[in-house]
Coordinates of all heavy atoms in Angstrom, one line a residue:
H96 N 93.6 101.5 93.0 CA 94.7 100.9 93.7 C 95.9 100.4 93.0 O 95.6 100.3 91.7 CB 94.1 99.7 94.5 CG 93.0 100.1 95.6 ND1 93.3 100.3 96.7 CD2 91.7 100.1 95.3 CE1 92.1 100.6 97.5 NE2 91.1 100.6 96.5
H97 N 97.0 100.2 93.6 CA 98.2 99.6 92.9 C 98.7 100.6 91.9 O 99.1 100.3 90.8 CB 97.9 98.3 92.2 CG 97.2 97.3 93.3 ND1 98.0 96.8 94.4 CD2 96.1 96.8 93.3 CE1 97.1 96.0 95.0 NE2 96.0 95.9 94.4
L98 N 98.8 101.9 92.2 CA 99.2 102.9 91.4 C 100.6 103.3 91.7 O 101.1 104.2 90.8 CB 98.4 104.1 91.3 CG 97.0 104.0 90.7 CD1 96.1 105.3 90.7 CD2 97.2 103.6 89.3
A99 N 101.3 102.9 92.6 CA 102.6 103.2 93.0 C 103.5 103.3 91.8 O 104.3 104.3 91.5 CB 103.1 102.6 94.3
E100 N 103.8 102.2 91.2 CA 104.6 102.1 90.0 C 104.2 103.0 88.9 O 105.2 103.6 88.4 CB 104.7 100.7 89.6 CG 105.9 100.3 88.8 CD 107.2 100.4 89.6 OE1 107.3 100.2 90.8 OE2 108.2 100.8 89.0
P101 N 103.1 103.0 88.5 CA 102.5 103.9 87.4 C 102.8 105.4 87.7 O 103.2 106.2 86.9 CB 101.1 103.7 87.1 CG 100.9 102.3 87.6 CD 101.7 102.0 88.7
I102 N 102.5 105.8 89.0 CA 102.8 107.1 89.4 C 104.3 107.4 89.4 O 104.6 108.5 88.8 CB 102.2 107.4 90.9 CG1 100.8 107.4 90.8 CG2 102.8 108.6 91.4 CD1 100.1 107.3 92.3
L103 N 105.1 106.7 89.8 CA 106.6 106.8 89.7 C 107.0 106.9 88.5 O 107.8 107.8 87.9 CB 107.2 105.5 90.4 CG 108.7 105.7 90.5 CD1 109.2 106.8 91.5 CD2 109.2 104.4 91.3
D104 N 106.6 106.1 87.5 CA 107.0 106.1 86.0 C 106.6 107.5 85.4 O 107.4 108.1 84.7 CB 106.3 105.0 85.3 CG 106.9 103.7 85.6 OD1 107.9 103.5 86.2 OD2 106.1 102.6 85.3
E105 N 105.4 108.0 85.7 CA 105.0 109.3 85.2 C 105.8 110.4 85.8 O 106.2 111.3 85.0 CB 103.5 109.4 85.4 CG 102.9 110.6 84.7 CD 103.0 110.7 83.2 OE1 103.0 109.4 82.6 OE2 103.1 111.8 82.6
L106 N 106.0 110.2 87.1 CA 106.8 111.4 87.7 C 108.3 111.5 87.2 O 108.7 112.6 87.0 CB 106.8 111.1 89.3 CG 105.5 111.4 89.9 CD1 105.7 111.1 91.3 CD2 104.9 112.7 89.8
K107 N 108.8 110.3 86.9 CA 110.2 110.3 86.4 C 110.4 111.0 85.0 O 111.4 111.5 84.8 CB 110.8 108.8 86.1 CG 111.0 108.1 87.6 CD 111.6 106.8 87.4 CE 112.0 106.1 88.5 NZ 112.3 104.7 88.4
K108 N 109.3 111.0 84.3 CA 109.3 111.7 82.9 C 109.5 113.2 83.2 O 109.9 113.9 82.3 CB 108.0 111.5 82.2 CG 107.7 110.0 81.8 CD 106.3 110.0 81.2 CE 106.0 108.6 80.9 NZ 104.6 108.4 80.3
H109 N 109.2 113.8 84.3 CA 109.2 115.2 84.6 C 110.4 115.6 85.5 O 110.3 116.7 85.9 CB 107.9 115.6 85.1 CG 106.8 115.3 84.3 ND1 106.5 116.1 83.3 CD2 105.8 114.4 84.3 CE1 105.3 115.6 82.6 NE2 105.0 114.4 83.3
L110 N 111.3 114.7 85.9 CA 112.2 114.9 86.8 C 113.8 115.0 86.0 O 113.9 114.4 84.9 CB 112.5 113.8 87.8 CG 111.3 113.7 88.8 CD1 111.4 112.5 89.6 CD2 111.1 114.9 89.7
G111 N 114.6 115.9 86.6 CA 115.9 115.9 86.1 C 116.7 114.7 86.4 O 116.3 113.8 87.1
E112 N 117.8 114.7 85.8 CA 118.8 113.5 86.1 C 119.3 113.5 87.5 O 119.3 112.2 88.0 CB 120.1 113.9 85.2 CG 120.6 112.7 84.4 CD 121.8 113.1 83.6 OE1 122.9 113.1 84.1 OE2 121.5 113.3 82.3
K113 N 119.4 114.4 88.2 CA 119.9 114.3 89.7 C 118.7 114.3 90.6 O 118.9 114.4 91.9 CB 120.9 115.6 90.0 CG 122.1 115.3 89.2 CD 123.1 116.3 89.5 CE 124.4 116.2 88.7 NZ 125.4 117.2 89.2
D114 N 117.5 114.5 90.1 CA 116.3 114.6 91.0 C 116.0 113.2 91.4 O 116.2 112.3 90.7 CB 115.1 115.2 90.3 CG 115.3 116.6 89.9 OD1 116.2 117.3 90.4 OD2 114.6 117.2 89.0
R115 N 115.4 113.0 92.6 CA 115.0 111.8 93.1 C 113.5 111.9 93.6 O 113.1 113.1 94.1 CB 115.8 111.3 94.2 CG 117.2 111.0 94.0 CD 118.1 110.5 95.0 NE 118.2 111.5 96.0 CZ 118.8 111.3 97.1 NH1 119.5 110.1 97.4 NH2 119.0 112.3 98.1
V116 N 112.8 110.8 93.6 CA 111.4 110.7 94.1 C 111.1 109.5 94.8 O 111.7 108.4 94.3 CB 110.4 111.0 92.9 CG1 110.4 109.9 91.8 CG2 109.0 111.0 93.4
V117 N 110.3 109.4 95.8 CA 109.8 108.2 96.4 C 108.4 108.3 96.5 O 107.7 109.4 96.9 CB 110.4 108.2 97.9 CG1 109.9 107.0 98.6 CG2 112.0 108.2 97.9
V118 N 107.6 107.2 96.1 CA 106.2 107.0 96.0 C 105.9 105.9 97.1 O 106.5 104.8 96.9 CB 105.6 106.7 94.7 CG1 104.1 106.6 94.8 CG2 106.0 107.8 93.7
V119 N 105.1 106.3 98.1 CA 104.8 105.2 99.1 C 103.2 105.1 99.1 O 102.5 106.0 99.2 CB 105.3 105.7 100.3 CG1 104.8 104.7 101.6 CG2 106.8 105.8 100.5
Q120 N 102.8 103.9 99.1 CA 101.3 103.7 99.1 C 101.1 103.3 100.6 O 101.7 102.3 101.1 CB 100.9 102.6 98.2 CG 99.4 102.2 98.2 CD 99.0 101.3 97.1 OE1 99.7 100.8 96.4 NE2 97.7 100.9 97.3
C121 N 100.1 103.8 101.1 CA 99.7 103.5 102.5 C 98.3 102.9 102.5 O 97.4 103.4 101.8 CB 99.7 104.7 103.4 SG 101.1 105.5 103.3
N122 N 98.0 101.9 103.4 CA 96.7 101.4 103.5 C 95.8 102.3 104.3 O 94.7 102.6 104.1 CB 96.7 99.9 104.1 CG 97.4 99.0 103.0 OD1 97.3 99.1 101.9 ND2 98.0 98.0 103.7
T123 N 96.4 102.8 105.3 CA 95.6 103.8 106.2 C 96.5 104.9 106.5 O 97.8 104.7 106.6 CB 95.2 103.1 107.6 OG1 96.4 102.6 108.3 CG2 94.2 102.0 107.3
L124 N 95.9 106.1 106.7 CA 96.5 107.2 106.9 C 95.6 108.2 107.7 O 94.5 108.4 107.4 CB 97.0 107.9 105.6 CG 97.9 109.3 105.6 CD1 99.3 108.8 106.1 CD2 97.9 109.7 104.3

């Protein structure tokens, strides 16, 4: 649980300057 921020941080390492990413944590899906 509570991985949204660490996931976002890791993904940003692999993105270009103009790339954007959104990470959403859902309780139920």
Side-chain angles (χ1 to χ4, degrees):
H96 296 274
H97 310 294
L98 285 181
E100 197 66 36
I102 288 171
L103 184 59
D104 291 342
E105 185 62 30
L106 292 174
K107 284 181 178 178
K108 295 176 187 176
H109 303 279
L110 293 173
E112 227 176 77
K113 295 183 180 183
D114 297 341
R115 296 184 297 177
V116 62
V117 175
V118 177
V119 178
Q120 181 177 354
C121 307
N122 292 331
T123 57
L124 186 68

